Amino acid sequence: MNAITRSPRHRSARLAAGVLALATTGALLSPAVTAVAATPITAQTSATAQTAETATDAGAAWDETAFRGAVEVVDGEDETPEVLEGVVFDDLNQNSQQDEGEPGIADVSVSNGRDIVTTDEDGAYELPAFDNMTAFVTQPAGYQVPVDDENVAQFHYHHLPEGSPELKYGGLEPTGALPSAVNFPLAQDEDAAASTQECLVGGDVQTYTEEEIEYARAGAFADLAARSGYENCGALFVGDVAGDDLSLYPGIRTLTEMINGPARFLPGNHDIDFDATEQEHAFDSYRAGLGPEYYSYDVGDAHFVALNNVEYPFSGDTLYNGAIDEEQMEWLRQDIANTPEDKLVVIAAHIPLLGFADQNGTQHQTDRVKEIHELLEGREAISLAGHVHAIENMREGDSLASWKELFDVDELPFPHITVGAISGDWYSGEMLEGGYPTALQRDGAYPGVLTMDIEGNQVTERFTRTGDDGTDQMALGLNTPAYRGWFEENIDSEDPAPEFENPLTVGQDELADTWLTTNFFMGATGSTVEVSVDGGEAVAAERTQPMEGEEQYVGAEYSDPTAVQEQLVHGGSVADRTSHLWRLPLSEDLEAGEHTAEVTATDVHGNVSTESLTFEVTEGSTEPEEPVTFTDNPEGSAFYAPVQWMAANNISTGYTDGTFRKYRDVTRAETTAFLHRYVKPDFEAPEDSPFEDVTDANSFYDPITWAAAEEITLGYADGSFQPYQSVTRGEFATFLYRLDAPEHTVPEDSPFDDLNTGNIHYEAITWLASQGITIGDTHGHFNEADPVTRGEISAFLERYDNTQN
């Protein structure tokens, strides 16, 4: 009999330590849109000891109930090597071997990947045996198969007598002769028979390095560790588990050790042994590390079918294609025939049966999709996939022109959902404080996981983005003429784009050509998006891609401006198309000033999400009128307008070489000079300096002593001013606050995720935020300890000036 490793009971403590470590380094993502955010790419410092406690509790509860063990492989050469035999039994003491008094279980399906048989009244089965087969049991509802120490479900036996051919990542070890028996232990679980189930589905973990494994650990898997409720159904990871380097499977298994339910996998096009020479060995290393290429299992009233639809041709220019071979197709026909007609059938594969993202060919969709549709005719069914690093919630009746042209499919007979990717856009983009990158996906959605809430044979799907509790379901933005011009200017550039200035500002004469956009991540046919501006009557927004047989729409007009502004600046794919974007033209009658839009999105199941967006309408156009006067401040670049405003008001005329150097840090002395030139006070400098390190020989003596006289700056406790030290964002906020001397009620709750109420600059910073002088960065942070650049101080001063007029 094969060795059985029992689960250590210190798993929960180890998990808690990992989550606590995450808490000390920072942040989970916060809701995507806030009333004052310039863009909804945010991160908050909300990973706390409470999160660790939640994860500890969830992990401990799972550990207490988990059925740990393995398939029982009985050594000894089978007398009939053409037949695999064994028993499916109720493992009452959960020791992974059939002991006296442990009954066999009748009517359970067992397969060799070609044939399917059902067990007799004693739980016994016989199957044809052949080299390079995987035998597996279909878990019946009301039972669980064992899981190993990393929570990977154990329900199969690989038979390859001589092992894999020589492969870089090892493949399968030789199994030797057919064993005398392969017995499949099951444990009764009445909760797994319940009609109500919660099932998690994650796409494309796809780690290429150990570093990316840590991104996944700090992100999606820390979230899953803190969740409970999916213990019965577990988590299904739909392919591209690794990113070509299959030696990373053991590290990826340490991620599933964090979850609180069984983990199952299916292979993707990056799980291939590329040095194999034939299809039958293309996934040997995947099989050795994670399990069968295809299989099925039951939970409640749902029948899950995990397929391998990655065809590796070993010739030509195409590395893979979306296809299902005849052997697997014949197994699928038998599997569906053995499934009661009142069951929900969940077809899961890596490559979508049909998808939205790629409409140019068949590679990223599945060749035999129409045959699968016909096989499931009349059944409640749903298709799940990953692969394209986007979310696609396509419903029954949806249609695209290419589906008809390529696959002769007029419309979808049941929902097809692409679940998105745990890796998002391949771990690209700006690094967040939580220890993982933003990685906005190709459709503008965040990385995350899909949850299927199953009631009987009906499904309600929901998406939870990494770092969120599931409340954030949309991203809001403005698609303005200025944004579209910036898009076209930068879309083909190989270099990072400059930040798009003032993304939530639009001129009055541009209102007719501006949309308020809503990227409703799980939006679909049957969903609605309504927008109320300034408390007015709610108006229905229009979906950009109606899915009524048209071509796919692509380009700036159909893009998610909020996502694109992150992606073009910080790297990654560009969300220039999506099936779940809604837009509403702004009224041409909006007056100059601040406006707030409240957006209510309702999904196909009636679940409602509401978020708001504050934007500004300016008089005339938002295009800058001043000519470019600095060689390093071209029109359209970051801080262009504020820098030109500084020059026009003689606050800064730049350097003698014609540059402004807007990314250079500003010193404390230079800051007082900027303020002094802005105010233009009638001031006579004192003979005696108020600071020990500032003499009348200092070129900034007048502005420094003026700032001291006005109590804009108080210097340091040691009597110094430190004129050549960089001024921080917090210090400058306080300088500007003292200059204005406003009446300001300090808020109880901080408007920035990284600013606590006890900060010495809290009062000043919250005043700046209340006036719209600062909107923080794209993560919802103020970064008060960071130095201020010349470009940033230009923006602050220009916005402050706007509050004075």
Side-chain angles (χ1 to χ4, degrees):
M1 187 182 74
N2 61 322
I4 299 172
T5 304
R6 304 301 295 167
S7 171
R9 286 296 171 185
H10 61 272
R11 171 181 173 269
S12 295
R14 184 167 66 252
L15 174 59
V19 179
L20 282 168
L22 173 62
T24 64
T25 59
L28 302 180
L29 288 169
S30 68
V33 177
T34 64
V36 296
T39 58
I41 313 303
T42 59
Q44 66 185 20
T45 53
S46 62
T48 63
Q50 184 175 0
T51 306
E53 183 178 351
T54 302
T56 300
D57 291 345
W62 162 245
D63 267 348
E64 287 300 315
T65 60
F67 173 26
R68 305 281 182 192
V71 171
E72 182 182 24
V73 179
V74 182
D75 292 334
E77 189 170 337
D78 197 312
E79 295 180 359
T80 53
E82 297 82 15
V83 177
L84 175 69
E85 58 186 12
V87 64
V88 178
F89 65 97
D90 190 348
D91 192 3
L92 299 176
N93 61 7
Q94 298 189 13
N95 70 348
S96 298
Q97 55 186 319
Q98 188 178 24
D99 299 314
E100 186 176 352
E102 291 184 331
I105 305 172
D107 300 321
V108 178
S109 293
V110 184
S111 178
N112 58 13
R114 295 179 183 174
D115 311 283
I116 299 176
V117 298
T118 55
T119 56
D120 64 17
E121 60 182 6
D122 297 319
Y125 72 90
E126 289 186 354
L127 275 169
F130 51 90
D131 287 354
N132 201 15
M133 73 171 183
T134 297
F136 54 88
V137 63
T138 294
Q139 173 186 288
Y143 289 89
Q144 294 285 1
V145 298
V147 297
D148 65 14
D149 292 345
E150 287 82 30
N151 294 317
V152 177
Q154 301 297 301
F155 57 95
H156 58 276
Y157 163 72
H158 301 301
H159 181 61
L160 188 57
E162 297 183 3
S164 299
E166 184 175 348
L167 297 171
K168 178 179 180 179
Y169 296 111
L172 290 161
E173 294 293 328
T175 60
L178 194 71
S180 61
V182 174
N183 300 327
F184 296 103
L186 299 176
Q188 294 188 46
D189 181 1
E190 62 180 17
D191 291 335
S195 61
T196 300
Q197 297 292 334
E198 181 177 318
C199 306
L200 304 185
V201 187
D204 301 73
V205 179
Q206 202 166 347
T207 55
Y208 286 85
T209 63
E210 295 284 355
E211 182 180 33
E212 290 182 354
I213 289 177
E214 296 312 306
Y215 295 161
R217 188 187 314 281
F221 284 89
D223 292 349
L224 296 180
R227 287 181 62 173
S228 60
Y230 61 96
E231 297 85 357
N232 303 320
C233 192
L236 175 61
F237 299 97
V238 290
D240 279 1
V241 184
D244 297 335
D245 183 353
L246 309 188
S247 70
L248 295 176
Y249 284 148
I252 294 168
R253 275 173 155 269
T254 69
L255 301 178
T256 61
E257 185 181 2
M258 299 171 67
I259 74 173
N260 301 309
R264 294 178 174 89
F265 303 89
L266 53 84
N269 53 287
H270 289 280
D271 294 307
I272 295 172
D273 282 298
F274 287 105
D275 53 341
T277 59
E278 49 193 341
Q279 179 73 32
E280 67 173 311
H281 294 295
F283 293 97
D284 279 8
S285 295
Y286 165 86
R287 292 163 68 198
L290 300 176
E293 293 181 45
Y294 55 91
Y295 54 92
S296 61
Y297 60 99
D298 287 348
V299 179
D301 295 320
H303 179 67
F304 283 77
V305 183
L307 297 176
N308 176 11
N309 65 343
V310 179
E311 182 182 66
Y312 184 25
F314 298 93
S315 62
D317 296 329
T318 302
L319 290 178
Y320 63 90
N321 184 49
I324 295 174
D325 62 25
E326 181 54 36
E327 182 175 293
Q328 185 179 180
M329 195 70 203
E330 176 54 32
W331 170 85
L332 178 61
R333 294 187 192 102
Q334 296 177 58
D335 183 82
I336 297 301
N338 288 343
T339 302
E341 293 188 358
D342 60 349
K343 288 265 191 180
L344 168 72
V345 177
V346 181
I347 296 288
H350 176 60
I351 298 174
L353 297 185
L354 285 178
F356 174 81
D358 183 11
Q359 296 299 301
N360 297 319
T362 63
Q363 180 181 7
H364 302 298
Q365 301 175 87
T366 303
D367 288 351
R368 303 179 80 159
V369 57
K370 189 169 185 179
E371 187 175 351
I372 295 174
H373 286 173
E374 293 170 349
L375 184 62
L376 296 171
E377 186 175 359
R379 292 178 178 268
E380 290 290 338
I382 187 169
S383 170
L384 304 175
H387 185 57
V388 297
H389 297 256
I391 297 172
E392 302 169 349
N393 189 357
M394 299 174 295
R395 312 305 296 182
E396 180 179 354
D398 278 357
S399 178
L400 284 174
S402 65
W403 294 347
K404 177 66 175 176
E405 295 167 3
L406 297 173
F407 302 102
D408 193 28
V409 173
D410 292 313
E411 60 183 37
L412 298 183
F414 50 79
H416 288 50
I417 298 178
T418 306
V419 303
I422 284 175
S423 61
D425 189 71
W426 296 273
Y427 301 106
S428 64
E430 191 171 13
M431 184 61 63
L432 301 175
E433 290 189 2
Y436 49 88
T438 311
L440 294 182
Q441 301 190 67
R442 297 171 68 186
D443 60 333
Y446 288 83
V449 298
L450 183 82
T451 301
M452 299 173 63
D453 293 311
I454 301 176
E455 180 67 42
N457 62 7
Q458 300 297 305
V459 178
T460 301
E461 69 286 340
R462 52 189 166 95
F463 175 73
T464 304
R465 73 176 178 89
T466 300
D468 187 66
D469 62 0
T471 58
D472 182 20
Q473 294 293 315
M474 67 185 96
L476 309 181
L478 291 183
N479 189 319
T480 65
Y483 159 74
R484 295 193 290 276
W486 175 86
F487 177 102
E488 296 298 342
E489 182 179 351
N490 294 287
I491 186 63
D492 294 323
S493 174
E494 295 182 0
D495 298 321
E499 288 191 12
F500 177 62
E501 287 282 314
N502 303 316
L504 299 182
T505 300
V506 57
Q508 282 182 311
D509 59 359
E510 298 166 338
L511 287 169
D513 297 313
T514 296
W515 298 287
L516 188 147
T517 61
T518 302
N519 190 342
F520 185 15
F521 305 142
M522 288 301 294
T525 300
S527 301
T528 61
V529 173
E530 295 184 322
V531 183
S532 169
V533 178
D534 298 330
E537 182 179 356
V539 179
E542 182 180 29
R543 189 182 182 191
T544 60
Q545 189 79 51
M547 303 294 289
E548 295 175 349
E550 73 280 1
E551 301 287 345
Q552 183 187 72
Y553 297 141
V554 183
E557 292 187 0
Y558 304 100
S559 67
D560 174 0
T562 297
V564 172
Q565 288 165 42
E566 166 77 10
Q567 293 165 324
L568 284 181
V569 174
H570 296 291
S573 300
V574 177
D576 62 354
R577 71 200 73 184
T578 175
S579 61
H580 45 78
L581 187 76
W582 276 255
R583 63 188 189 192
L584 179 74
L586 291 182
S587 170
E588 297 180 51
D589 298 328
L590 289 178
E591 296 181 355
E594 189 176 89
H595 299 272
T596 299
E598 184 175 90
V599 179
T600 301
T602 306
D603 71 13
V604 295
H605 307 291
N607 299 310
V608 178
S609 301
T610 302
E611 292 186 13
S612 62
L613 180 75
T614 297
F615 60 95
E616 182 182 4
V617 176
T618 61
E619 294 182 357
S621 172
T622 58
E623 293 295 324
E625 298 179 359
E626 300 85 35
V628 174
T629 57
F630 303 109
T631 59
D632 59 348
N633 189 44
E635 187 174 356
S637 65
F639 303 113
Y640 171 81
V643 167
Q644 295 304 119
W645 174 86
M646 292 279 278
N649 287 278
N650 293 313
I651 297 171
S652 176
T653 56
Y655 293 84
T656 56
D657 64 357
T659 64
F660 186 82
R661 306 180 191 177
K662 51 191 172 183
Y663 297 109
R664 179 181 174 275
D665 293 346
V666 181
T667 67
R668 289 167 56 83
E670 289 170 330
T671 303
T672 63
F674 288 156
L675 295 176
H676 187 262
R677 293 169 193 159
Y678 174 79
V679 174
K680 299 178 177 63
D682 183 11
F683 175 72
E684 185 175 343
E687 291 184 6
D688 297 323
S689 173
F691 303 111
E692 294 179 357
D693 57 346
V694 178
T695 70
D696 59 5
N698 190 296
S699 59
F700 296 101
Y701 184 75
D702 280 11
I704 291 172
T705 55
W706 164 78
E710 295 294 322
E711 296 187 345
I712 294 169
T713 178
L714 306 178
Y716 290 90
D718 63 0
S720 68
F721 179 74
Q722 301 181 25
Y724 302 111
Q725 178 174 296
S726 295
V727 69
T728 68
R729 290 168 61 86
E731 288 172 336
F732 181 73
T734 295
F735 288 169
L736 205 55
Y737 182 65
R738 291 172 182 162
L739 173 68
D740 192 84
E743 293 183 4
H744 172 56
T745 301
V746 179
E748 293 182 3
D749 298 321
S750 175
F752 300 106
D753 296 334
D754 64 338
L755 181 68
N756 63 57
T757 57
N759 188 284
I760 190 173
H761 301 296
Y762 182 77
E763 182 176 350
I765 293 169
T766 56
W767 169 74
L768 259 67
S770 72
Q771 300 300 303
I773 297 170
T774 180
I775 50 181
D777 66 12
T778 55
H779 300 156
H781 295 168
F782 183 77
N783 305 309
E784 64 90 17
D786 288 352
V788 178
T789 66
R790 289 169 59 82
E792 289 171 336
I793 212 166
S794 301
F796 282 139
L797 279 173
E798 185 189 38
R799 293 171 191 156
Y800 172 80
D801 184 69
N802 290 336
T803 69
Q804 307 302 300
N805 299 324

